[in-house]
Amino acid sequence: TSKNNYESLHVSMYDFQYCGKGPCTKDLAYFLCVAVQDRKDSLYVPYYHKELVQRLKLMNKHTKKDEAFLKKEIPSLKDIEESLQLAYCDWVRFMCGWGMWGHDMTDEVMAVLDRLDGGRNLGSEGAYDAAVQREFG
């Protein structure tokens, strides 16, 4: 390609800043915090849950898992809502390294921290891990 002929150049971009294995609520938190103008979790989260359950049941028909396995693997709406609370905390932790954008999640994160530590510093990562296990299972 000559310096003056840019027609044959192709540009590709990949965004790997927030990828990896984890709960589906990480993606849901990202979507609700960044892409939704007026965050109405009471509308979006039940809809997301309904669609997720339908797709998991459909997937189950193809994999032929037994009913007990299916009941264990399909999260309840409460499971999704609680996981989303932790995902919001993870989102804010992630954003602290980049600069904040999207919706202000201070109230949601403070509610989780208050649930974990009652407003007092637990002193160690291990203590917070134990509190998360206690509160969120």
Side-chain angles (χ1 to χ4, degrees):
T1 303
S2 72
K3 290 182 182 181
N4 295 327
N5 183 6
Y6 295 105
E7 291 178 22
S8 64
L9 295 178
H10 299 280
V11 175
S12 296
M13 296 183 75
Y14 297 91
D15 184 354
F16 289 112
Q17 69 184 12
Y18 200 70
C19 62
K21 186 176 180 181
C24 59
T25 51
K26 280 190 173 188
D27 292 328
L28 184 58
Y30 181 49
F31 171 74
L32 291 171
C33 290
V34 175
V36 175
Q37 291 286 337
D38 55 350
R39 270 198 47 243
K40 296 195 186 222
D41 292 8
S42 62
L43 296 175
Y44 294 114
V45 176
Y47 176 78
Y48 174 85
H49 177 258
K50 181 182 77 139
E51 294 295 318
L52 176 65
V53 167
Q54 286 176 357
R55 278 155 182 78
L56 289 172
K57 285 181 178 179
L58 182 63
M59 187 175 74
N60 182 58
K61 286 181 182 179
H62 296 292
T63 59
K64 309 251 189 289
K65 306 243 185 211
D66 64 30
E67 194 64 32
F69 178 83
L70 185 61
K71 284 183 181 179
K72 186 178 92 177
E73 292 299 310
I74 293 184
S76 68
L77 177 57
K78 182 181 181 213
D79 292 337
I80 294 291
E81 290 169 338
E82 288 206 334
S83 181
L84 185 58
Q85 291 175 22
L86 292 174
Y88 285 146
C89 294
D90 188 57
W91 170 253
V92 170
R93 177 208 52 82
F94 174 73
M95 292 307 303
C96 285
W98 290 87
M100 301 298 272
W101 71 79
H103 296 288
D104 179 7
M105 301 304 297
T106 303
D107 291 341
E108 288 83 350
V109 171
M110 291 307 296
V112 170
L113 288 174
D114 286 344
R115 180 175 171 183
L116 296 178
D117 63 18
R120 62 181 183 11
N121 187 333
L122 296 182
S124 71
E125 181 180 345
Y128 277 96
D129 184 49
V132 167
Q133 294 302 316
R134 179 191 72 237
E135 293 296 319
F136 294 92

